[in-house]
Amino acid sequence: MTRSLIGVVLLAAALYLGLCLALLLFQRSLIYFPQPRAIGGPERLLMLPVTDQQIAVTVRPLASAKALIYFGGNAEDVSRSLPSFAEAFPDHALYLLHYRGFGDSTGKPTEDAIQHDALALFDKVRALHAEVALVGRSLGSGVAIRLASQRPASRLVLVTPYNSILELAQRQFPIFPVRWMLHDKYESWRYAPTITVPTLVIAAEHDEVIPRWSTEKLIRQFKPGVTRVEVIAGAGHNDIGESPEYLRLLRAGL
């Protein structure tokens, strides 16, 4: 091997290792895109105290046996869903979680931290309401399904869900050892087999973010008879909530 060829190989190796390091250090900035809260004053905000942070929850309080907890996408301000949810679910108290770093929540988002906050929120809500339904959209579908495997949810709705974030990352970055680098894997397939409550899966016909194969792979992990699947025609990943069918299906799922 000539000296010039050795130099090229060493340069390529250094570049590859540099990219691996960058991916390792900045991976969470590729997953989470914190958004400020746009809707609701202090009367619409519940601060959930946890051990190290203050976690914000946009709420519509209601003295009802029924409650809905919503987990949004990775770049979603969940407060924006409050008006439509309040209209669609007049008999449900509403609790919309702002992930760490989102809205008025402090801290930085990680899978473990978000799941910890989801458990704390469920326990608080369950103490006030006999029936607690969970709705998770996109990234939040992974939060909701894991929570449903740990707590007695009454219903589960998964909007544009995935089988595993790890799996999607491996497809997107095939030349990197993602399995050993990724901290937040969101492996929904691990929890689906344990779910026994009625579960509605809502998919977008033209989802450009979550491939259909990933959603279908997750659906196959559930026990027979647990899931019902609806596909909103013409909808994409980011505009599915604008479809008139979206709220209708959510109501049907709860």
Side-chain angles (χ1 to χ4, degrees), residues 166-183:
L166 170 61
E167 200 170 52
L168 297 178
Q170 287 175 316
R171 295 289 185 107
Q172 188 170 359
F173 303 102
I175 68 171
F176 298 108
V178 174
R179 176 175 296 277
W180 293 279
M181 297 171 63
L182 192 65
H183 299 310

Side-chain angles (χ1 to χ4, degrees), residues 228-248:
R228 178 166 66 91
V229 182
E230 298 284 351
V231 179
I232 298 184
H237 185 85
N238 294 317
D239 64 4
I240 189 171
E242 300 173 13
S243 169
E245 288 293 291
Y246 179 64
L247 289 178
R248 183 189 70 79

Side-chain angles (χ1 to χ4, degrees), residues 85-128:
F85 278 22
E87 181 178 352
F89 305 104
D91 58 343
H92 283 70
L94 301 176
Y95 299 86
L96 289 65
L97 179 68
H98 295 269
Y99 302 139
R100 297 188 182 207
F102 288 65
D104 300 274
S105 294
T106 61
K108 294 183 179 181
T110 70
E111 181 180 4
D112 287 344
I114 290 172
Q115 211 63 45
H116 176 271
D117 300 339
L119 286 166
L121 177 58
F122 184 95
D123 291 343
K124 185 175 184 65
V125 173
R126 186 65 172 78
L128 300 172

Side-chain angles (χ1 to χ4, degrees), residues 200-216:
L200 172 63
V201 175
I202 302 177
E205 181 184 19
H206 304 302
D207 197 321
E208 68 283 11
V209 177
I210 306 298
R212 179 64 62 84
W213 60 260
S214 183
T215 299
E216 292 177 348

Side-chain angles (χ1 to χ4, degrees), residues 24-142:
L24 180 65
L25 294 176
F26 300 106
Q27 57 182 277
R28 286 189 170 121
S29 66
L30 300 176
I31 298 176
Y32 307 104
F33 301 90
Q35 301 296 316
R37 179 174 58 92
I39 294 178
E43 74 284 357
R44 293 297 186 190
L45 201 62
L46 166 70
M47 298 305 293
L48 183 69
V50 294
T51 55
D52 56 340
Q53 302 294 338
Q54 289 290 316
I55 305 304
V57 185
T58 288
V59 299
R60 195 278 299 275
L62 188 67
S64 170
K66 298 180 180 181
L68 180 156
I69 299 178
Y70 177 70
F71 304 102
N74 68 331
E76 182 176 351
D77 168 21
V78 294
S79 73
R80 293 184 180 277
S81 293
L82 184 63
S84 58
F85 278 22
E87 181 178 352
F89 305 104
D91 58 343
H92 283 70
L94 301 176
Y95 299 86
L96 289 65
L97 179 68
H98 295 269
Y99 302 139
R100 297 188 182 207
F102 288 65
D104 300 274
S105 294
T106 61
K108 294 183 179 181
T110 70
E111 181 180 4
D112 287 344
I114 290 172
Q115 211 63 45
H116 176 271
D117 300 339
L119 286 166
L121 177 58
F122 184 95
D123 291 343
K124 185 175 184 65
V125 173
R126 186 65 172 78
L128 300 172
H129 309 277
E131 299 180 18
V132 182
L134 305 179
V135 178
R137 178 176 175 179
S138 191
L139 179 76
S141 67

